[in-house]
């Protein structure tokens, strides 16, 4: 069959690209435009083999073989098939398992079934040598592609190089069409100014005796900078109090808020210690929730509808189709998509107003639904089936970002009359 096939060992391609551009093989050091990369592979393969492309096979590792966001983007691209092996951690390093075997099996089957006349291999692993030799015996021309090595030497098995029919080196100029090294100076930019009400909460004074007692009980962390007088004005002149550096986050943690925000919401009055039998939740509108309550949250919070309640069967199907075909699965993006759907289906703007004043907390029924939705995209940490703390912050940040953008564009709702403001 006069067609070409491309088999890509993603660990080799992206690891070698990271070594070339960032000086070390960690893929976290680079950003990849996968659409441009796939287009470059297709154009290069068709030019080198003078045959039309049948398919690009993308072989990569993933924890428990669960597709990661980049795999979700790749597998919906035309003429791209993703094959996943396991990704395991040993001695502090990640290692792929089963990827070479899968590439060997695919290469052998394609050659045996005469599915193509030319195969482009983007790999450096000598374990593929038997498969390469088998493909040649079935009359397939094998083109071996290498990534330019950072030290100017080969980063491929010499046996593979010797057996290949043709060889090409993807140099720096080719790689940089789709891959960029991350700018380390920009990895930790100055955090944006927090909302004034959050800064006021964090800067509220707390009596030293109460703080010490809370620290001894383990209910509030003994963090320097959370007690004492209010924080000074922002030195940049914005007038917004700055968050104490020791807090470590622009958005306060649940414990920060629980320890410093009073029940009535006034930031200048110290908060009492939590009641016995209470539970700390990020998603409450107060830090501590009485477990004995019917829903563990106040009535105004409980009145907010969940996305499931707002979604019809037809919309549920359309949502799943969008998740599979267009949503990449980046934590921030996941939060945005969820918030967009929720807001678009709200019957009244009054619900959006209620949610907006709860920042930075999300009502816990909606927050739980948001995290369950995020779990569909392989964001669970595989050690304990929990979403990583950093990802949880990114998911909620995306949620609030979308809420802010759409709330600013939405028409203002009519004032709510006390006692009749609840939407049936």
């Amino acid at each position: 069959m006069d067609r070409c096939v491309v088999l890509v060992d993603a660990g080799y391609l992206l690891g070698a690209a990271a070594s070339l551009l960032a000086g070390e093989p960690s893929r976290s050091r680079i950003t990849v435009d996968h659409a441009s990369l796939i287009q470059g592979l297709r154009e290069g393969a068709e030019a080198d083999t003078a045959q039309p492309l049948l398919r690009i096979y993308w072989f990569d590792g993933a924890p428990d073989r669960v597709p990661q966001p980049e795999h979700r983007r790749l597998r919906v691209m035309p003429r791209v098939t993703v094959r996943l092996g396991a990704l395991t951690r040993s001695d502090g390093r990640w290692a792929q398992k089963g990827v070479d075997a899968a590439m060997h099996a695919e290469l052998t089957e394609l050659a045996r079934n005469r599915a193509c006349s030319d195969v482009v291999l983007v790999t450096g692993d000598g374990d593929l040598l038997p498969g390469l030799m088998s493909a040649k015996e079935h009359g397939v021309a094998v083109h071996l592609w290498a990534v330019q090595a950072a030290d100017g030497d080969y980063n491929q098995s010499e046996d593979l190089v010797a057996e290949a029919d043709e060889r090409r080196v993807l140099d720096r100029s080719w790689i940089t069409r789709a891959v960029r090294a991350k700018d380390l100076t920009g990895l930790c930019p100055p955090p944006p100014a927090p909302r004034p009400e959050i800064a006021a909460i964090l800067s509220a004074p707390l009596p030293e005796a109460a703080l010490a007692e809370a620290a001894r009980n383990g209910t509030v962390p003994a963090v320097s900078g959370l007690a004492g007088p209010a924080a000074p004005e922002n030195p940049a002149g914005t007038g917004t109090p700055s968050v104490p550096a020791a807090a470590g986050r622009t958005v306060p943690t649940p414990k920060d808020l629980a320890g410093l925000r009073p029940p009535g919401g006034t930031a200048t009055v110290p908060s009492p210690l939590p009641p016995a039998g209470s539970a700390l939740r990020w998603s409450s509108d107060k830090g501590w929730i009485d477990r004995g309550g019917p829903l563990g949250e106040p009535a105004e919070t409980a009145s907010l509808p969940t996305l499931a309640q707002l979604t019809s069967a037809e919309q549920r199907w359309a949502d799943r189709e969008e998740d599979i075909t267009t949503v990449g699965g980046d934590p921030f993006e996941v939060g945005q998509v969820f918030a967009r759907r929720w807001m678009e289906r709200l019957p009244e703007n009054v619900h959006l107003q209620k949610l907006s004043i709860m920042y930075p907390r999300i009502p816990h029924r909606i927050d739980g639904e948001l995290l369950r939705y995020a779990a569909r995209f392989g964001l669970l940490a595989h050690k304990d089936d929990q979403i990583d703390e950093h990802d949880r912050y990114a998911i909620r940040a995306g949620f609030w970002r979308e809420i802010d953008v759409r709330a600013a564009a939405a028409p203002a709702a009519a004032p709510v009359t006390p006692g009749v403001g609840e939407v049936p």
Side-chain angles (χ1 to χ4, degrees):
M1 188 70 69
D2 293 335
R3 297 178 296 192
C4 69
V5 170
V6 182
L7 305 182
V8 180
D9 179 350
Y12 166 77
L13 174 60
L14 300 182
S19 293
L20 179 63
L21 301 181
E24 61 180 78
S26 173
R27 289 161 63 169
S28 63
R29 296 290 304 276
I30 57 174
T31 57
V32 183
D33 182 344
H34 290 91
S36 297
L37 183 59
I38 292 299
Q39 184 63 25
L41 291 170
R42 178 171 188 166
E43 292 175 353
E46 291 181 336
D48 279 12
T49 65
Q51 303 294 346
L53 177 75
L54 171 61
R55 190 173 297 114
I56 295 175
Y57 289 91
W58 185 272
F59 295 87
D60 202 1
D64 294 342
R65 292 184 168 86
V66 176
Q68 301 301 295
E70 65 178 284
H71 304 138
R72 297 179 63 87
R73 289 191 291 270
L74 284 162
R75 66 184 184 180
V76 297
M77 293 181 183
R79 301 293 180 116
V80 177
T81 295
V82 175
R83 297 279 190 260
L84 294 179
L87 192 63
T88 60
R89 192 171 182 84
S90 177
D91 297 328
R93 301 183 63 182
W94 289 100
Q96 296 182 158
K97 299 294 183 183
V99 172
D100 296 335
M103 290 187 70
H104 179 279
E106 199 70 57
L107 176 59
T108 303
E109 283 297 304
L110 288 168
R112 182 183 296 118
N113 294 326
R114 301 187 183 278
C116 58
S117 60
D118 296 76
V119 169
V120 174
L121 281 179
V122 186
T123 186
D125 198 329
D127 291 345
L128 278 177
L129 182 61
L132 185 154
M133 297 174 67
S134 176
K136 290 175 62 177
E137 291 171 359
H138 284 87
V140 173
V142 179
H143 304 251
L144 183 65
W145 286 9
V147 176
Q148 178 183 341
D151 57 5
D153 199 357
Y154 287 144
N155 52 15
Q156 285 182 311
S157 162
E158 292 188 15
D159 291 333
L160 279 183
V161 174
E163 283 291 335
D165 295 305
E166 303 284 347
R167 186 170 185 264
R168 177 181 180 181
V169 176
L170 306 178
D171 59 16
R172 182 184 294 268
S173 63
W174 193 97
I175 293 295
T176 52
R177 296 174 191 172
V179 183
R180 295 285 187 276
K182 290 182 179 178
D183 183 4
L184 293 180
T185 61
L187 288 180
C188 299
R195 289 191 180 190
E197 65 271 23
I198 300 303
I201 290 170
L202 288 180
S203 62
L206 189 67
E208 292 185 7
L211 183 63
E213 177 65 20
R216 284 196 297 272
N217 293 338
T219 55
V220 179
V223 179
S224 174
L226 291 181
E233 292 288 320
N234 189 323
T238 61
T240 301
S242 60
V243 176
R249 293 188 177 93
T250 301
V251 176
T253 66
K255 286 189 177 181
D256 294 337
L257 295 176
L260 297 175
R261 185 174 186 176
T266 304
T268 58
V269 180
S271 172
L273 294 177
S278 61
L280 180 63
R281 285 180 180 156
W282 169 272
S283 54
S284 91
D285 72 335
K286 299 183 176 117
W288 295 96
I289 299 295
D290 183 2
R291 286 193 179 115
L295 291 175
E297 57 184 325
E300 62 271 18
T301 301
S303 69
L304 291 174
T306 63
L307 180 60
Q309 293 170 333
L310 298 170
T311 303
S312 66
E314 292 79 6
Q315 288 173 325
R316 191 172 296 109
W317 182 90
D319 290 348
R320 191 61 176 167
E321 181 73 11
E322 181 184 13
D323 290 344
I324 294 172
T325 57
T326 63
V327 180
D330 175 79
F332 191 88
E333 178 191 16
V334 167
Q336 287 183 301
V337 171
F338 184 94
R340 169 176 57 80
R341 292 174 182 169
W342 188 79
M343 285 186 290
E344 287 175 348
R345 296 165 193 174
L346 282 177
E348 300 288 345
N349 278 347
V350 66
H351 291 305
L352 188 57
Q353 288 180 322
K354 288 181 180 180
L355 179 67
S356 182
I357 63 175
M358 294 175 187
Y359 179 91
R361 297 183 180 89
I362 304 171
H364 95 262
R365 291 180 304 123
I366 297 175
D367 187 59
E369 189 180 36
L370 169 61
L371 296 181
R372 288 192 297 274
Y373 171 66
R376 298 181 188 175
F377 297 91
L379 294 176
L380 292 178
H382 298 274
K383 180 180 179 181
D384 51 7
D385 287 335
Q386 297 291 325
I387 295 179
D388 178 76
E389 182 182 12
H390 179 272
D391 287 343
R392 290 200 304 271
Y393 271 86
I395 292 165
R396 287 159 175 153
F399 178 92
W400 281 115
R401 173 63 176 170
E402 193 70 11
I403 292 289
D404 285 346
V405 170
R406 291 183 176 261
V416 178
T417 303
V420 297
E422 294 300 325
V423 176

